[in-house]
Amino acid sequence: MLAKVKSYALIGLNGAEVEIEVDINAGLPVVDIVGLAGTAIKESKERIRSAIKNSGFMYPIKRVTVNLAPADLKKDGPWFDLAIAVAMLAASEQVTGRGYKDFVFLGELSLDGGVRKIDGVMPVLISAVQNGHTRFVVPSGNAVEAGYIENAEVYAVDSLSDVVALINGTGEFSPVVGRSFDAAVNSFVLGADFSEVKGQLFAKRGLEIAVSGGHNVIMTGPPGAGKTMLARCVPGIMPDLTFKEAIEITKIHSIAGILDAEKGIVTSRPFRTPHHTTTVPTIVGGGMKSKPGEVSLANLGVLFLDEMPEYPRAVLEALRQPLEDRRVTVARVQRTVDYPANFVLIASMNPCPCGNYGSKTAECRCTATQIHNYLSKLSGPLMDRIDLQIEVDGITYVELRGGGDGENSAAIKVRANHAREVQRARFATDGISMNAEMSNSMIKKYCGLDTDGERLLDRAFQRLNMSARGATRVLKVARTIADLEGAKDILPKHVAEAIQYRSLDRKYNA
């Protein structure tokens, strides 16, 4: 007898429908799985055999052919176990109901018949709903995650026996209850606060601008000046997540297998801090399954590179394309996938090997050659893609111990939220949401300058030896400064402040 069951494969951030066909005929007892099945799928026949027997059903002692259609789509992963087992039981007439044809089945089986949690459920369900499917069976471990999918009737199960009872109508099952994103967000706990940072008003202002417009930033300063602490305060001022953004982040984290099963959705913007010994595939993504890398895991959040020159040159150069395109294409022999990489880069570095070059409180011991070699680890094209360059100097004892707390993160976040709302309204028909994403045509449309502003930018372009990309970065930052001030037009003072954040250009090129 022939039975057909629906399941889904995961290709990058999207799901592809897979039809599981099982044909049982007389002959020598053997199971053949065809249809470009990966190793995990070929091994599944042993898991399925044990799961069916240990669930109290009869395993067909006949010739069983399992086809995964379409045959030209490479399939891998354990989430086809449940669908194949249901198809086998249907083909051997141990499933009496015909309702299995209405479901999409996802899940890995254990030897005792249990259904294990899998990765990537959210992007698969979203793709399936867009393709017209409405009823799903998933592992109970993925129930919370599935509860955030709209227009989906999802049943969470613990075992193969539960699935058969659901199909045959011999048990009482209720679909997963829909969940509220607003309720989940209210559980977010703030980490470090800007009020804990003594002094460093210039750096705080720069980070506020960076967050408000989605700009990349690098902080330079001696060891102990507070660069790392400043960066760790940034999550507290990041604008609130919208439900659409939370879903986009959750899809990536679900694929990567780092999603908190109890929460089921990401409620705060990512803050990723890879170690300086990381590799190119770890940063941009890859591996046999083309998993997302750090640039994608930081999507709509922050990628923090502490002591940036310590990272391998190949890793830093690999950042150039995602910083410019805000997407990354992972090309491997088996498949090519495209992941979003729309993050804010926050980097820190010492100004020289000893860390004291340009410091007001300590003396530099490095030679000019040593300083040049150290800074040359960051290429010109990479630095051109960083909008704000902030110098962070050490503070005095009076600044450390005296005075009260500075402005807290909550107050800064209010301004960042307002600036992002202004930008979303401005770019409502342009397909972007932040100033940092503007194309050249959008810069021409939204970043017009008066005569004084043009003259000021022209002088800075000549004196700082800016590239064309560097000049456009100044305009984008000036637009964000104007938005924070509530100004409709970019004024000369906004351009002047934006130019201040090209400190490395001024220091080493002027």
Side-chain angles (χ1 to χ4, degrees), residues 93-147:
E93 300 183 329
Q94 297 182 72
V95 172
T96 58
R98 309 296 295 176
Y100 69 86
K101 296 183 177 180
D102 299 329
F103 286 97
V104 172
F105 296 91
L106 302 166
E108 176 187 350
L109 290 175
S110 60
L111 298 183
D112 62 358
V115 182
R116 287 197 172 109
K117 174 182 175 294
I118 58 175
D119 299 329
V121 162
M122 181 172 283
V124 164
L125 293 189
I126 291 174
S127 295
V129 169
Q130 292 172 347
N131 290 338
H133 296 286
T134 57
R135 307 186 77 193
F136 305 90
V137 175
V138 303
S140 58
N142 297 106
V144 179
E145 179 181 354

Side-chain angles (χ1 to χ4, degrees), residues 202-256:
F202 182 73
K204 292 179 183 179
R205 171 65 173 172
L207 291 173
E208 178 183 343
I209 294 169
V211 166
S212 299
H215 305 289
N216 303 315
V217 58
I218 185 168
M219 294 181 286
T220 63
K227 301 185 296 294
T228 301
M229 185 175 184
L230 283 163
R232 295 193 179 279
C233 290
V234 168
I237 66 170
M238 291 292 285
D240 294 327
L241 271 178
T242 64
F243 181 61
K244 181 180 178 181
E245 289 174 330
I247 290 294
E248 183 176 337
I249 298 171
T250 302
K251 287 167 64 177
I252 300 172
H253 286 218
S254 178
I255 294 169

Side-chain angles (χ1 to χ4, degrees), residues 269-427:
R269 296 183 183 272
F271 185 83
R272 305 291 300 181
T273 58
H275 193 260
H276 66 262
T277 57
T278 191
T279 61
V280 173
T282 302
I283 287 289
V284 301
M288 293 184 62
K289 297 182 180 179
S290 299
K291 287 291 188 77
E294 291 292 337
V295 296
S296 298
L297 295 174
N299 184 52
L300 300 176
V302 173
L303 178 66
F304 176 45
L305 303 183
D306 200 5
E307 298 302 335
M308 195 176 186
E310 300 301 325
Y311 287 77
R313 181 67 177 261
V315 168
L316 297 179
E317 293 305 304
L319 291 172
R320 286 164 55 176
Q321 186 253 336
L323 284 174
E324 189 70 21
D325 300 338
R326 298 186 179 269
R327 300 196 70 82
V328 62
T329 300
V330 181
R332 296 295 182 266
V333 174
Q334 294 184 348
R335 66 182 58 169
T336 298
V337 297
D338 189 63
Y339 290 117
N342 189 6
F343 59 90
V344 173
L345 173 67
I346 297 181
S348 71
M349 63 177 287
N350 295 332
C352 65
C354 79
N356 296 323
Y357 180 60
S359 174
K360 299 174 184 178
T361 59
E363 183 178 352
C364 177
R365 302 185 303 272
C366 304
T367 65
T369 301
Q370 288 175 322
I371 295 172
H372 178 269
N373 291 339
Y374 183 79
L375 294 175
S376 65
K377 294 181 180 180
L378 306 182
S379 67
L382 177 61
M383 292 301 295
D384 264 353
R385 288 167 169 81
I386 297 178
D387 304 353
L388 295 97
Q389 303 162 357
I390 301 172
E391 288 188 277
V392 182
D393 202 356
I395 61 174
T396 64
Y397 181 80
V398 174
E399 290 175 310
L400 177 65
R401 302 296 295 170
D405 293 337
E407 188 177 28
N408 61 32
S409 294
I412 300 174
K413 182 175 181 177
V414 170
R415 295 195 294 270
N417 266 326
H418 176 70
R420 284 287 184 97
E421 289 172 2
V422 170
Q423 292 164 55
R424 278 193 288 267
R426 176 189 299 129
F427 303 126

